[in-house]
């Protein structure tokens, strides 16, 4: 037995009522034990009998694979932060929006020496810590990225949109 959230139920009911059928609608269901189940739903409404015939196909594995592929493509496996590919896409969107934004680039000074003296495991741990601290410091609308090696980028989105605290005049304060 599965539970459909109210929004999905409403969308499904409206769609099948208006169109008389639904083809290949992907829907997320939640089982009573809390696990999620993705289904591909196809259905046809019989208006005379006032019943709907439905076919559900479990596509949970497919959705998990898509999610994994997305994470491998757009996220850094070491830090869990977005990577340069996602950064470039987001930067392009900011440019198209024609809003004020700022970019900050940071690197770890003498990172090569740290790896050589203390080992790559220590260097990796340092990068994880830096990524974690950076992502906890900025707003959710901003993007913190491990760009390459020991380089991190921060895209400060919509500078000046939310008030004086994030204005261009305060960019030094934001950077510190």
């Amino acid at each position: 037995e599965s539970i459909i959230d109210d929004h999905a139920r409403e969308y499904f009911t409206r769609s099948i009522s208006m169109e008389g059928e639904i083809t290949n609608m992907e829907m997320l269901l939640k089982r009573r034990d809390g696990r999620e189940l993705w289904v591909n739903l196809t259905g046809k409404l019989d208006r005379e009998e006032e019943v709907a015939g439905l076919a559900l196909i479990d596509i949970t594995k497919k959705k998990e694979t898509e999610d994994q592929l997305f994470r491998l493509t757009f996220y850094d496996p070491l830090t869990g932060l977005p990577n340069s590919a996602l950064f470039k896409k987001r930067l392009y969107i900011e440019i198209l929006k024609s809003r004020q934004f700022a970019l900050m680039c940071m690197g770890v000074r003498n990172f090569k020496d740290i790896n050589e003296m203390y080992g790559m495991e220590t260097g990796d741990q340092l990068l994880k810590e830096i990524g974690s601290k950076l992502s906890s410091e900025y707003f959710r609308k901003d993007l913190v990225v491990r760009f390459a090696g020991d380089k991190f980028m921060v895209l400060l989105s919509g500078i000046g949109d939310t008030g004086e605290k994030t204005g261009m005049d305060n960019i030094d304060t934001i950077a510190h």
Side-chain angles (χ1 to χ4, degrees), residues 84-174:
S84 60
L86 186 58
F87 176 79
K88 290 172 188 173
K89 286 185 176 299
R90 191 58 197 283
L91 180 59
Y92 182 70
I93 290 168
E94 289 298 315
I95 291 168
L96 289 177
K97 287 180 179 178
S98 298
R99 298 187 328 182
Q100 285 187 338
F101 63 88
L103 294 175
M104 292 189 293
C105 180
M106 295 167 253
V108 180
R109 185 174 289 150
N110 301 322
F111 183 71
K112 184 180 173 192
D113 295 340
I114 292 169
N115 269 343
E116 288 176 3
M117 289 176 67
Y118 301 105
M120 287 182 64
E121 198 172 287
T122 301
D124 287 351
Q125 189 59 38
L126 177 63
L127 293 174
K128 287 179 192 178
E129 288 293 321
I130 291 169
S132 176
K133 287 190 186 293
L134 285 174
S135 49
S136 69
E137 286 295 317
Y138 293 95
F139 297 110
R140 262 207 310 227
K141 67 180 177 124
D142 300 326
L143 184 67
V144 177
V145 174
R146 179 173 176 217
F147 200 74
D150 67 337
K151 302 289 186 268
F152 293 86
M153 298 284 286
V154 179
L155 172 61
L156 299 169
S157 180
I159 298 292
D161 289 353
T162 59
E164 292 179 34
K165 243 183 169 180
T166 58
M168 280 298 218
D169 297 339
N170 296 328
I171 202 71
D172 286 343
T173 306
I174 294 168

Side-chain angles (χ1 to χ4, degrees), residues 21-38:
E21 66 182 19
I22 290 179
T23 306
N24 294 325
M25 177 181 173
E26 291 184 356
M27 184 180 285
L28 178 62
L29 307 176
K30 190 168 263 187
R31 295 179 177 165
R32 295 227 183 262
D33 65 5
R35 291 184 302 154
E36 293 181 339
L37 172 73
W38 277 98

